[in-house]
Amino acid sequence: MPIEIPEVVIDRLPVYARALAIFERAGREVVSSQELGAQLGVTPAQIRKDLSYFGRFGKQGRGYNIRRLLEELRQILGLDRHWTMVLVGSGQLGRAILAYGGFAPQGFRIVAAFDSDPAIVGEQIGDLRVKDVADLHRELDGRSVDIGIVATPANHAQEVIDALVDCGVKAILNYAPIAAQVPEHVHVKQIDPVLSLQSMTFYLKDRLAEVK
Amino acid sequence: MPIEIPEVVIDRLPVYARALAIFERAGREVVSSQELGAQLGVTPAQIRKDLSYFGRFGKQGRGYNIRRLLEELRQILGLDRHWTMVLVGSGQLGRAILAYGGFAPQGFRIVAAFDSDPAIVGEQIGDLRVKDVADLHRELDGRSVDIGIVATPANHAQEVIDALVDCGVKAILNYAPIAAQVPEHVHVKQIDPVLSLQSMTFYLKDRLAEVK
């Protein structure tokens, strides 16, 4: 990539792709940045600016060709590929992740699940038999795994992340409430409902103050 | 608030607060923006700029007084308060949310759980008996509920969000894979692991292309 694209822009592209797919399924062929923006709570200017990083998609005053833009976004984001994931932490949260129906249709497949609890190791959950996290290196050796999902308690998360990175995993989806430390070439996204709640209470608190 | 503070800044404040709390527990009294930045993968300049929205916290060259900054952030974000939440959707995902141990210690309490499935309504999950979502209005009438958590399938999520907004809920934590539509005075945060994965595959795809 010749230009450094800000991470906040990359983060918005899957949201655009999802909205475009909905328009496409509704039989639409063209959509304006106004309409797309209204659907997503983003300004039309923001959408045009974000997409301008990747070339010229829309024609002035004619909106975006949905199928073409969607194809481009899928290629840009690698959405047209399949990705393999391993899960570490197969407790209650891990089980909800394994049962989550949203990954597979989008090309994300969990190929192995691990835990450290002898009461859980060996258990069959869906298609997978839970493996011992002590065998992580051996199990992943020679396998191409794209993404590691971490669903362990906070106090074990960093060591698990280190082990995954050691095994060559380049992307981590972290459900544990810690700020994960990784080398520069590894990407991390944190799923943390408490952080999301805490950034909303800023606004709730404000509103209460106004009412007083 | 006299100045409009960008949402991306608000979103980073809980992350700062969490890191500061870890430094505080480790017995530290002062931390520099460099050290905090290194811990979080944010530039020191970004941290100083974000905090400057709320006044002067650090002394040039002396770093931040951790306890004072943490107190201020807690007040700014409303972290020093208790917040009540209701959950709609008590299937597999809803159960993982109810069992999640991270909410209560941070002051977030789920006070009621709802579902539409007759096989689930009436079931006891932990402290709560699942109520019929058809009774949402009646159940929430006169109760002060701050936040609604939506863990329903995608095709029911918008109607549930509409109902919660109708009941006066001002903040929605949405686990359903839809771009929720809400009035301007309502805040939404989406928990969507697929969007997080899709923004990481952008980088993975790039790396593969480089290797070729």
Side-chain angles (χ1 to χ4, degrees), chain A residues 167-210:
Chain A
C167 292
V169 172
K170 299 284 189 297
I172 305 279
L173 189 67
N174 176 33
Y175 282 82
I178 63 156
Q181 306 286 307
V182 292
E184 213 178 322
H185 68 282
V186 177
H187 289 270
V188 181
K189 288 284 172 188
Q190 182 156 9
I191 302 289
D192 192 328
V194 170
L195 290 181
S196 299
L197 290 171
Q198 290 179 335
S199 59
M200 286 198 290
T201 53
F202 170 80
Y203 301 101
L204 297 181
K205 172 198 65 78
D206 255 30
R207 192 163 300 107
L208 292 171
E210 281 164 22

Side-chain angles (χ1 to χ4, degrees), chain A:
Chain A
M1 277 280 150
I3 311 166
E4 181 84 20
I5 297 155
E7 194 174 337
V8 290
V9 174
I10 304 296
D11 286 352
R12 280 190 289 264
L13 297 184
V15 181
Y16 297 162
R18 178 174 294 172
L20 287 166
I22 292 168
F23 279 115
E24 189 183 45
R25 278 200 298 278
R28 293 281 301 274
E29 291 181 7
V30 174
V31 68
S32 65
S33 53
Q34 282 78 8
E35 200 176 353
L36 196 54
Q39 181 73 26
L40 296 173
V42 178
T43 65
Q46 183 72 68
I47 292 175
R48 288 193 298 266
K49 193 178 162 211
D50 287 350
L51 295 179
S52 72
Y53 279 100
F54 305 94
R56 302 189 123 273
F57 285 117
K59 287 212 183 90
Q60 193 64 39
R62 291 184 49 188
Y64 296 109
N65 177 311
I66 291 172
R67 197 165 52 141
R68 209 190 118 217
L69 179 53
L70 199 46
E71 256 170 38
E72 291 273 0
L73 284 178
R74 285 193 175 126
Q75 218 176 346
I76 288 166
L77 293 168
L79 306 189
D80 46 358
R81 293 203 18 200
H82 282 81
W83 303 94
T84 55
M85 313 196 288
V86 294
L87 170 74
V88 184
S90 303
Q92 188 131 25
L93 175 59
R95 278 152 218 260
I97 292 168
L98 285 169
Y100 181 60
F103 291 132
Q106 303 297 326
F108 295 97
R109 200 160 64 90
I110 299 175
V111 297
F114 295 87
D115 206 283
S116 64
D117 182 347
I120 294 178
V121 172
E123 199 184 322
Q124 185 81 22
I125 305 178
D127 291 343
L128 299 174
R129 190 172 298 276
V130 179
K131 293 172 176 160
D132 192 333
V133 74
D135 299 331
L136 192 71
H137 271 88
R138 195 160 53 77
E139 291 285 348
L140 300 198
D141 190 37
R143 286 178 84 166
S144 161
V145 170
D146 302 302
I147 298 158
I149 304 179
V150 178
T152 66
N155 58 333
H156 290 298
Q158 185 62 52
E159 64 192 87
V160 162
I161 289 166
D162 292 343
L164 286 166
V165 169
D166 229 38
C167 292
V169 172
K170 299 284 189 297
I172 305 279
L173 189 67
N174 176 33
Y175 282 82
I178 63 156
Q181 306 286 307
V182 292
E184 213 178 322
H185 68 282
V186 177
H187 289 270
V188 181
K189 288 284 172 188
Q190 182 156 9
I191 302 289
D192 192 328
V194 170
L195 290 181
S196 299
L197 290 171
Q198 290 179 335
S199 59
M200 286 198 290
T201 53
F202 170 80
Y203 301 101
L204 297 181
K205 172 198 65 78
D206 255 30
R207 192 163 300 107
L208 292 171
E210 281 164 22
V211 171
K212 254 194 274 186

Side-chain angles (χ1 to χ4, degrees), chain B residues 163-194:
Chain B
L164 285 165
V165 169
D166 228 40
C167 292
V169 172
K170 299 285 190 296
I172 304 280
L173 189 66
N174 176 33
Y175 282 81
I178 63 156
Q181 305 288 307
V182 293
E184 211 177 324
H185 69 280
V186 177
H187 289 271
V188 181
K189 288 283 173 192
Q190 184 158 5
I191 303 288
D192 191 328
V194 170

